[in-house]
Amino acid sequence: MNKLAQILSKISSSFRINFLNSENETSVLVGNWDAISYTEKLYENGELINVDDFSYDINNRFQIRFKKDDTFVQLEKTRGQGRNTFDESKKKGVYHIKEGELTLNYGNTFDEESVVKLAFSIEGKHLITINDYQRTDVGDVYRHLSKRKFERKF
């Protein structure tokens, strides 16, 4: 009887976790994520003009931490000119998820420059974000498409 109670408890707690996650979509992101790769494609008037593939390593790191209170901290480190120096950039803000879109708001303003909207998916321990936007300048259409893959760190 004791084993049956344990099994039922585990089953009911797994349903509870799944139910809570559906109520609060942001809970799937809570935690630390280290970027492992980045791909960027630039288009001009529909023509691909540049592709950049990048893998992160000990010399170049990009991390993001999503907190339970819907805030995030983003940290980027790149090896500097000196042997043991790093250039570091730290940004903070708030995030939310709506209809499968992750919105990052850097700082306290809500202008176009401080808000980034990303398509995202979580596949096992990996978070994949896609940034796809375009702008028109004097009749030319420029499109930026980037994909970043993260690995969950606990």
Side-chain angles (χ1 to χ4, degrees):
M1 183 76 170
N2 192 14
K3 286 189 179 220
L4 179 61
Q6 288 176 340
I7 291 171
L8 290 175
S9 175
K10 286 181 182 180
I11 291 171
S12 67
S13 66
S14 70
F15 284 130
R16 178 172 160 73
I17 290 168
N18 289 336
F19 179 71
L20 290 173
N21 284 344
S22 66
E23 281 186 0
N24 182 5
E25 293 178 304
T26 60
S27 66
V28 299
L29 288 177
V30 171
N32 298 315
W33 299 88
D34 285 353
I36 55 178
S37 66
Y38 178 77
T39 302
E40 179 180 70
K41 296 180 181 179
L42 301 175
Y43 297 85
E44 184 176 339
N45 298 320
E47 184 178 331
L48 181 64
I49 60 171
N50 189 41
V51 177
D52 187 19
D53 284 317
F54 184 78
S55 293
Y56 293 93
D57 59 23
I58 196 163
N59 294 314
N60 299 291
R61 299 180 74 191
F62 185 94
Q63 302 168 303
I64 192 162
R65 179 179 179 204
F66 294 101
K67 299 179 182 180
K68 288 180 183 178
D69 64 358
D70 297 336
T71 63
F72 70 91
V73 177
Q74 177 182 302
L75 180 64
E76 192 167 2
K77 285 183 171 182
T78 55
R79 181 157 310 271
Q81 297 293 334
R83 181 178 150 143
N84 293 321
T85 63
F86 284 89
D87 296 323
E88 188 173 303
S89 168
K90 187 175 185 179
K91 298 178 182 177
K92 297 179 180 184
V94 296
Y95 73 97
H96 71 276
I97 298 171
K98 185 175 181 182
E99 298 173 3
E101 183 177 71
L102 171 62
T103 301
L104 303 176
N105 182 10
Y106 293 87
N108 297 325
T109 61
F110 291 91
D111 59 18
E112 196 173 297
E113 300 280 324
S114 64
V115 176
V116 176
K117 295 185 179 209
L118 306 166
F120 80 98
S121 63
I122 296 178
E123 300 169 5
K125 64 178 184 175
H126 293 110
L127 166 66
I128 297 168
T129 61
I130 297 174
N131 188 0
D132 187 0
Y133 68 90
Q134 69 180 27
R135 67 178 174 81
T136 303
D137 186 17
V138 191
D140 291 319
V141 178
Y142 298 94
R143 181 178 176 211
H144 171 268
L145 177 62
S146 64
K147 177 181 176 181
R148 188 171 273 134
K149 185 174 184 178
F150 296 86
E151 187 172 86
R152 185 185 293 271
K153 299 292 179 188
F154 294 96

